[in-house]
Amino acid sequence: MDIIKKLSDEFPAIRAEHMQNIVSLIDEGNTIPFIARYRKEMTGSCDDQVLRELDERLQYLRNLEKRKEEVCKSISEQGKMTEELQRAIDAAATLTEVEDLYRPYKQKKKTRASVAIERGLQPLADYILSQDPNGDVLTEAEKYVDADKGVPDIAAAIAGAKDIIAEIVSDDANVRKKLRNLFLKNGEIETKLVNAEQDGAKTYEMYADHAENVAEIKGHRVLAINRGEKEGFLKVKITFNDEIAKRVAGAAYLKNGGYATQLVKEAVDDGYTRLLYPSIEREVRAFLTENASEQAIKTFELNLKPLLMQPPVKNKVTLGLDPAYRTGCKIAVVDRTGKVLDKTVVYPTPGPKQNIEAAKVKLKELIAKYGVEIISIGNGTASKESEIFVAELIKEIQKETGREVAYIVVSEAGASVYSASPLGAEEFPDFDVAERSAVSIARRLQDPLAELIKIDPKSIGVGQYQHDMDKKRLDSVLSGVLEDCVNSVGVDLNTASVSLLKYVAGLNAGIAKNIVAYREEHGQFYSRREILKVPKLGEKAFTQCAGFLRITDGKNILDNTAVHPESYDAAQKLLTLFGYTAEDVKEGKITDLPKKVREYGEDKVAHEIGSDIPTLKDIVVEIIKPGRDIRESFPQPILRQDIMDIKDLVPGMELIGTVRNVVDFGAFVDIGVHQDGLVHLSEITDRYIRHPSDVLEVGQRIKVWVKDVDIKKNRIGLTMKNPAVRKKQSAKAQ
């Protein structure tokens, strides 16, 4: 197989020469972020997501070729390779097809067919399969009767031959492919509820007596069924018309040969029931699960990236509040850099120690002492009561002092996981678990990426069924998301934690620890090249990571940009060409540089500074605003000073909300009420969309209208379709 050509066919937007370059760059050990950012001329400016998909496909195709070689070698060593079989293996497009072709030649455990073969019944099976209309099966079978071999009579001989035929049919790659396709297109997945009296069974009531077409079932339903089966509440099977399936299985084997054909049909029917159906059912279930898992992982990936890339609320002294009832609300005040200034516990929520006035006094004292500008409230247990308390507190502070304080409710998903982790204990050894959570809640508002990166992504609270996924596959995808986010933002070399540094291209956990240890021993870095003094960090790793590291007050202003050190000479020549200095860059005096480059001519400028056009464009963007954070251009989080209750909501009310989670059937939106509302897939837009993620992403601000409210069940239905417009359209239609 020509893998480059195959990839070019599958990724038509990438030119053949760029495809060759990408494969070469990957084979040379370059990381995806490095290739995407610093080798645009070679890749045609492919983004990191396309490069990751291509890299995955490249590895699959290489594994496919490797498996083909192994299979061919095994069959050849058995002396059973034919030209036809070789062509079929060469043409196989998937690992499943290769395994189907290899199945008849694979070493098997003891089966009824293998026992019959040991008893010398293979020739009889071949004779029966030939279905000679003039043959005499009984006379032929008599030749193989041998009590010493375990064949006491003609019936036993025929039965053994039929076992061999049944296995031949069940191992036939073409038969398996046809049946698999039939099951996938026309099969049904049936479920029945069991153990209905046990706790937890109610969750699966909708699947109590359920059937759905295999081709149409949604991924999240597949995963729900799998979970119900695993928990012992559901019995699941894939069904298809048995008679049709048996006819398909026997089509290539049945002739008009009288008694012999009857025996072959009996063998085919037995092979289908005993061997083929269970195997195909497992494969179809595996196919559905794999597809559903990939969709769930994709949904998780789509949610995780914008969550991590939420704009930071920078340079604000923040008070983190971890809500609770009985044990009180843990409080942590952090400065503008995230350093903990103070911590305490207050009891504003219902519980044995509740004292709202004392809590107000304490928080007013902390807010005044440290100049707190914003309060970050976790959205877990007692969040609603805490939010009501904070809203009242802010009103009193405004009235008494005129000070402007705002609050925001943040997702505390994963905060407890971090707090109880070795990393949390290492960072705050003298804090208890809840106090660490309060710090995390404050910091995840100041810099979501830096804080959330410390938490296992599966615990962050976006996506669906992530705990049911294949761990290796999920970790691989999520690591890619974390890597892309960290490298697209950049990392401050003098303040970044090990958790952040280990995701920088070219680095790993070991080198990240070495960087932090070196920094603690020798003080801050003043140049990117200084990190070459860090143990185990060589030139190759430096090439990969240098452009993603930032030094805010270093010797070279370019160290605080995404300009790679390999392009420093080109950047300096660019400045000189237009009469600028490094000091001009620091002071932000070169905002007209893009215009000057265009007037001079990009081709000409690139040639004179010894660069290519994509790199030139990136250099211009970076030196106009050194130290820029791409997240600052995203919509800022909604800060609040007052609170709404679910009882305040009425159908038709217009609100601005923030998307918290996108799932297959819709999106959950924070509208300033303790309970997130659901915008169902059908309420997102009037045009057809395949998935909510086609329109929405986590962190996005959207205008919504209340559709319905169920106070008893604490459910809020939202719509993105303006009811007034819908009403006008309805009236016009009438």
Side-chain angles (χ1 to χ4, degrees), residues 29 171 202 227 291 296 325 439 448 466 492 544 549 713 726:
D171 284 347
K202 198 173 181 66
R227 182 179 287 182
N291 281 3
Y325 289 119
V439 176
Q466 56 265 29
D492 188 324
Q544 299 297 310
L549 300 172
K713 293 184 177 179
R726 187 184 289 179

Side-chain angles (χ1 to χ4, degrees), residues 3-21:
I3 290 180
I4 299 295
K5 184 179 184 309
K6 178 75 173 167
L7 289 171
S8 295
D9 291 342
E10 294 181 8
F11 294 82
I14 302 176
R15 291 164 56 181
E17 62 267 32
H18 291 150
M19 185 64 73
Q20 181 65 65
N21 291 340

Side-chain angles (χ1 to χ4, degrees), residues 418-428 453-455 497-499:
Y418 157 74
S419 302
S421 70
L423 178 61
E426 181 182 336
E427 197 169 2
F428 299 106
I453 205 86
K454 301 173 184 177
I455 301 165
S497 64
V498 171
S499 302

Side-chain angles (χ1 to χ4, degrees), residues 520-553:
E520 289 173 350
E521 183 179 349
H522 298 91
Q524 72 180 74
F525 294 94
Y526 290 97
S527 162
R528 278 171 167 166
R529 291 205 68 84
E530 280 185 53
I531 64 168
L532 284 166
K533 297 176 183 177
V534 172
K536 296 185 179 179
L537 199 157
E539 282 288 349
K540 187 171 183 179
F542 176 78
T543 299
Q544 299 297 310
C545 74
F548 304 109
L549 300 172
R550 307 281 183 272
I551 299 177
T552 55
D553 52 357

Side-chain angles (χ1 to χ4, degrees), residues 270-288:
D270 172 57
Y272 172 77
T273 303
R274 184 167 53 84
L275 303 172
L276 266 172
Y277 169 72
S279 178
I280 297 296
E281 183 188 36
R282 284 193 299 272
E283 290 181 13
V284 171
R285 289 288 304 277
F287 176 84
L288 289 175

